Amino acid sequence: MNVEVTSDVIARLHEESASAHPQECCGILLGEERHGNDRITQAIPAPNVAAEPTRHFEIDPAILLAAHRTARQGGPKVLGYYHSHPVGHPVPSATDCEHSTGDLRVWAIIADGQVAFWRDTGNGFAPITCHMVG
C-alpha cells in the first residue's frame, strides 16, 4: 500500500520540525483512503508531552482524542502520526519500534531535511512509497 501526500503537508512537516528543534515535534496525519491507498491531506501539530522531548515524543492525548472524535463524526480519518528526529535519520528508532502496535497506520519521520513514511506492522515498521500530489 502506498501513500499520497499533498505538498502542503510535506511543507508543514518541515516547518514543524524546524520550529520545534532541538525538541521532537509531533502530530497527527489526517486524510482519506482512496482505492487502497492513503491520501494524507492534513498534518495537525500537537504538543509533545514526553518527559524528555529532546529524545522522545508523546502526542498530547487531548489532541489525539479530538482527532478521532472528529473522524467518527464524518471528518477526515486519522491515518497516522508524525514526529521528528532532531539528531539522526528519518528511520524508526529503537524506541519507535518498541511502540509499534500493528495498527497499520502511517508514521512520517522528519530528519536531516527529509520526510520518510513508514507503516506500523506490529513487528516494527515497513517503508512505504510516498507520492506527492497537489
Side-chain angles (χ1 to χ4, degrees):
M1 187 183 312
N2 295 324
V3 64
E4 296 178 342
V5 183
T6 65
S7 56
D8 288 345
V9 167
I10 296 292
R12 179 81 184 259
L13 296 178
H14 284 294
E15 290 168 9
E16 291 296 318
S17 176
S19 68
H21 194 276
Q23 297 184 352
E24 292 192 21
C25 71
C26 60
I28 304 164
L29 301 171
L30 304 175
E32 60 188 347
E33 292 179 343
R34 297 171 43 138
H35 311 292
N37 290 323
D38 291 331
R39 183 180 184 131
I40 298 169
T41 57
Q42 295 178 54
I44 305 299
N48 181 351
V49 297
E52 294 181 70
T54 57
R55 298 177 17 134
H56 302 288
F57 81 98
E58 182 180 341
I59 295 171
D60 182 331
I63 302 295
L64 188 56
L65 289 172
H68 282 287
R69 188 176 306 113
T70 299
R72 280 194 312 275
Q73 296 171 347
K77 184 174 180 177
V78 176
L79 298 178
Y81 316 102
Y82 70 87
H83 72 284
S84 61
H85 289 171
V87 177
H89 303 286
V91 297
S93 66
T95 301
D96 293 338
C97 291
E98 289 173 8
H99 290 97
S100 174
T101 64
D103 64 6
L104 299 177
R105 294 199 194 276
V106 174
W107 281 42
I109 301 175
I110 311 105
D112 199 25
Q114 304 171 56
V115 180
F117 291 87
W118 304 86
R119 180 83 54 199
D120 182 346
T121 67
N123 294 316
F125 293 88
I128 51 179
T129 303
C130 170
H131 300 283
M132 184 131 29
V133 295

